[in-house]
Amino acid sequence: MHLTPTSSCFLAGVLFSALVSVQAAVPDAVRAAAIDLLDASHILHSLDVVDALGHVSVRNPVNSSQFLIYAIQNATAVGLTFSPTATVPAGFSERFIHSEIYKKFPEVNAVVHAHTEAILPFANQAKVPLVAQISTAPAVGVQVPVFNFSNLSASVLSGDTLSDFLIRNALLGDALANKFIGGSDVVLMANHGMAVRATSVRQAVFNAYYTMQNAKVQFQSILLGGGQAPAALNVKEMTDCVTTATTGLAPRAWNLWTKQVDLNPLYVNNLRNGAAASATGY
Ligand SMILES: *[C@@H]1O[C@H](CO)[C@@H](O)[C@H](O)[C@H]1NC(C)=O
Ligand SMILES: *[C@@H]1O[C@H](CO)[C@@H](O)[C@H](O)[C@H]1NC(C)=O
Ligand SMILES: *[C@@H]1O[C@H](CO)[C@@H](O)[C@H](O)[C@H]1NC(C)=O
Ligand SMILES: *[C@@H]1O[C@H](CO)[C@@H](O)[C@H](O)[C@H]1NC(C)=O
């Protein structure tokens, strides 16, 4: 449940579009990252990984202390970097998911947070861990860690913090980011959703989508097996699938998905099309 209006991926699109287009001096690498970020927002929505809620971010390629459009140190907006005139809202209430993952993992350049329904049974039911089951989902790993908001210590969840499962501050974000230690690129969030990290925004979209697909397949396999959980890919399979996914599958999927969102009038990437930014059409 995200109550702030800026939690919508579409509003994020408008914001990035406005910020980047008003100033011609934006470095090419930043513009390219913003274009990918808008596409990523649209693709995650079109693939049902996110609905009206959820968000994706990318580390600033020319300043590793920022992700578009926040300072990693304290998750405050740094829109002035892009435009002295744009009004920059505080942003997603859960931007601390992003800031704390970037802070802890220098190699991570993109983060997705989503409430994808298919993964929630595995987030809530600790007895059955989500494990990599399909060749396109090696990012799921041998067992996805679960971040359990309901079981946080008082030093992390102080008495006056809302218990609405939202990651509203850096302490909560840090506790979530700590769950990534152990190699998984996905952390399930009980009663809430998931966080996905990757070295690029395109890979983050691929990982988030196939984590959803993996959860659907695993759920059905368990039913088919009369409750018996199927085995995960073995370590060699997982390693080889990572290579195949990152070198071949993810780029091919990205090409298809950008074409799909281009054909849908709901999604407009003004940055990629080189048109002037506009708040209409989102
Ligand atoms: C990089 O980002 C940090 C955090 O926003 C900021 O303090 C610093 O000035 C930026 N560096 C450059 C070279 O813009
Ligand atoms: C947030 O951190 C940046 C440096 O990363 C700093 O320049 C800025 O003043 C800080 N903002 C607040 C509100 O603390
Ligand atoms: C709750 O957290 C404590 C440590 O803080 C841990 O020992 C316990 O296993 C956790 N319980 C569940 C159900 O996750
Ligand atoms: C989360 O913690 C609560 C309280 O300890 C516990 O009842 C629940 O089973 C835990 N959920 C998971 C998924 O571990």
Side-chain angles (χ1 to χ4, degrees):
M1 290 277 291
H2 296 244
L3 303 176
T4 56
T6 46
S7 289
S8 149
C9 57
F10 301 104
L11 283 177
V14 173
L15 180 61
F16 291 123
S17 183
L19 287 173
V20 176
S21 64
V22 287
Q23 215 195 56
V26 171
D28 286 349
V30 175
R31 175 174 287 266
I35 289 171
D36 269 8
L37 186 57
L38 258 184
D39 279 336
S41 255
H42 295 159
I43 290 167
L44 287 168
H45 183 261
S46 82
L47 295 175
D48 282 337
V49 180
V50 303
D51 50 18
L53 317 172
H55 22 88
V56 51
S57 69
V58 63
R59 195 188 287 270
N60 184 344
V62 303
N63 185 341
S64 62
S65 301
Q66 299 176 350
F67 62 105
L68 301 189
I69 53 170
Y70 303 99
I72 288 171
Q73 189 185 325
N74 49 26
T76 52
V78 289
L80 297 183
T81 303
F82 299 89
S83 163
T85 53
T87 307
V88 181
F92 308 117
S93 52
E94 294 196 283
R95 59 195 180 278
F96 301 97
I97 293 174
H98 304 257
S99 63
E100 299 316 299
I101 293 173
Y102 290 125
K103 203 177 284 176
K104 199 166 286 287
F105 304 106
E107 72 283 12
V108 168
N109 294 314
V111 173
V112 171
H113 170 55
H115 302 163
T116 321
E117 185 183 332
I119 57 94
L120 282 171
F122 294 95
N124 295 352
Q125 176 51 272
K127 277 188 216 157
V128 184
L130 184 67
V131 299
Q133 295 270 296
I134 56 179
S135 62
T136 42
V140 169
V142 285
Q143 177 165 336
V144 178
V146 178
F147 170 79
N148 190 356
F149 195 103
S150 303
N151 197 35
L152 291 172
S153 68
S155 61
V156 176
L157 186 66
S158 61
D160 56 357
T161 306
L162 288 177
S163 284
D164 59 1
F165 299 94
L166 299 196
I167 305 302
R168 293 177 175 280
N169 60 47
L171 261 182
L172 289 167
D174 182 62
L176 171 65
N178 276 333
K179 285 285 180 185
F180 279 100
I181 292 166
S184 177
D185 288 325
V186 181
V187 168
L188 297 179
M189 302 161 75
N191 311 104
H192 184 173
M194 65 176 171
V196 178
R197 62 176 185 173
T199 52
S200 75
V201 77
R202 296 181 181 194
Q203 192 64 45
V205 168
F206 186 90
N207 291 356
Y209 174 69
Y210 280 108
T211 296
M212 172 176 83
Q213 299 302 79
N214 191 95
K216 290 179 188 170
V217 169
Q218 186 176 344
F219 195 95
Q220 290 177 353
S221 302
I222 291 168
L223 291 182
L224 209 56
Q228 183 80 32
L233 306 184
N234 68 37
V235 172
K236 175 164 166 48
E237 288 165 347
M238 227 172 289
T239 310
D240 291 351
C241 286
V242 166
T243 305
T244 303
T246 53
T247 56
L249 304 183
R252 201 193 311 161
W254 182 264
N255 282 340
L256 173 67
W257 292 334
T258 49
K259 288 188 174 55
Q260 279 180 328
V261 291
D262 275 352
L263 289 173
N264 185 334
L266 182 61
Y267 311 112
V268 178
N269 189 334
N270 283 343
L271 297 177
R272 185 154 47 77
N273 299 337
S278 155
T280 60
Y282 288 85

